Amino acid sequence: MAGATADQVLRELNEVRANPSAYSKRMAELLPRFRGTIYHLPGKIDLQTNEGPAAVQDCIKELQGTRPLPLFSMSQGMNRAAQDHCDECGPIGHTGHDGPNGSTMDSRISSYGEWNGGIGENISYGNTTAADIVQQLLIDDGLSSRGHRRNILNPKFLIVGIGAGPHSDMEYMCTIDFAQEYTEGTGSAPVASRCPPMRPPKGAHGPPVPSHPQGDPDTSDWPEGAVGLRTQTSESTKGHQRITKITKIYTMEDGSTATEEETRTETI
């Protein structure tokens, strides 16, 4: 099935980043297509949305107030990670950020290199053009956190990987992975995954969230919309100092991630 290529999606993403205010005018062109909460496009089946034009108007307002952002560069390793997810999910109609073989966003990205500073993932279903894919994710209809939009407009995310392909139930899917920093793996052997074991929370029916090593965590200081947490700790020494870097990776309700980092230094 013909659909958007990685290069086309990258160009669309960078058009948004280069001039968000100008891109808002393209978003405004979508408003006349709504009849209440029904989105109508000639030649296609009408789409029942959750918020109707309100979500588009919210997107327009944010784009108008956003300054130009650094353009994304593409990583071949992250491209492979994103394409792996599409290749695993598409033929069997699987959806979500966790693959049918148990893979996660983190494990896939870490298979082809090493990331630092934070990662995120957006997945679009049912759209075949780069413009439709990016605009759907920017609008983020029905998700109060606008996590997909947050990833696209996150100034810390500088590198992307993009995969796409047919989907047996949703026609087409596109996976976009984001990273602040990424070092490509060397050779053909994948880099060891840094993802801890996963388990679904009690009573949950959606994607599993990371387990917590000490039972139920104290969520009082979690970001709004966070449903899971995993931590990564690395140590290094410099002279007579031991430097410990603690990275907290929160899984948000829409499947995106938010990252917090803390560095501790002690004399040894």
Side-chain angles (χ1 to χ4, degrees):
M1 176 179 294
T5 65
D7 288 339
Q8 290 169 343
V9 175
L10 176 64
R11 284 195 295 270
E12 194 74 19
L13 288 168
N14 279 337
E15 188 172 343
V16 178
R17 302 266 291 194
N19 195 335
S21 181
Y23 198 89
S24 72
K25 297 177 181 178
R26 291 184 56 185
M27 302 301 296
E29 295 173 359
L30 306 181
L31 293 173
R33 301 176 183 174
F34 283 91
R35 302 292 184 269
T37 57
I38 301 295
Y39 183 75
H40 174 73
L41 193 61
K44 292 190 176 182
I45 298 174
D46 288 349
L47 176 66
Q48 174 65 62
T49 67
N50 292 287
E51 301 174 69
V56 181
Q57 291 166 338
D58 177 71
C59 179
I60 291 170
K61 181 178 180 181
E62 180 165 357
L63 290 174
Q64 289 175 338
T66 301
R67 295 181 178 180
L69 300 163
L71 301 186
F72 289 123
S73 60
M74 184 178 283
S75 156
Q76 293 305 312
M78 289 178 62
N79 275 0
R80 293 173 67 186
Q83 190 62 52
D84 281 352
H85 194 48
C86 293
D87 292 344
E88 293 166 4
C89 296
I92 62 173
H94 186 82
T95 60
H97 293 275
D98 295 324
N101 62 353
S103 70
T104 66
M105 168 188 66
D106 190 345
S107 69
R108 290 188 296 271
I109 294 174
S110 297
S111 291
Y112 297 106
E114 184 170 349
W115 62 267
N116 188 46
I119 53 176
E121 183 172 85
N122 288 355
I123 305 176
S124 167
Y125 299 99
N127 295 297
T128 57
T129 71
D132 287 345
I133 289 168
V134 172
Q135 289 170 10
Q136 177 199 41
L137 296 169
L138 282 171
I139 294 169
D140 231 359
D141 175 62
L143 293 174
S144 59
S145 65
R146 308 296 192 211
H148 299 102
R149 189 190 306 168
R150 296 279 80 75
N151 283 340
I152 294 173
L153 299 180
N154 187 339
K156 293 184 179 180
F157 284 152
L158 302 174
I159 304 169
V160 295
I162 302 167
H167 190 276
S168 63
D169 289 340
M170 308 291 285
E171 185 178 7
Y172 202 72
M173 70 176 289
C174 177
T175 301
I176 306 172
D177 290 328
F178 302 85
Q180 184 172 344
E181 299 176 6
Y182 192 73
T183 303
E184 305 283 348
T186 57
S188 58
V191 176
S193 171
R194 302 188 297 178
C195 184
M198 307 281 283
R199 64 165 173 82
K202 295 179 180 180
H205 299 285
V209 298
S211 60
H212 192 276
Q214 298 177 342
D216 293 331
D218 177 6
T219 63
S220 60
D221 60 348
W222 286 16
E224 183 178 357
V227 296
L229 169 66
R230 65 180 182 272
T231 60
Q232 296 174 348
T233 303
S234 62
E235 290 187 354
S236 61
T237 57
K238 185 176 182 180
H240 295 286
Q241 290 186 323
R242 177 185 292 115
I243 303 171
T244 303
K245 180 180 177 182
I246 302 172
T247 303
K248 295 182 178 180
I249 306 170
Y250 296 94
T251 301
M252 310 305 285
E253 60 186 0
D254 61 3
S256 63
T257 61
T259 304
E260 294 180 357
E261 293 185 349
E262 177 184 353
T263 301
R264 300 174 183 174
T265 303
E266 59 179 322
T267 302
I268 56 176

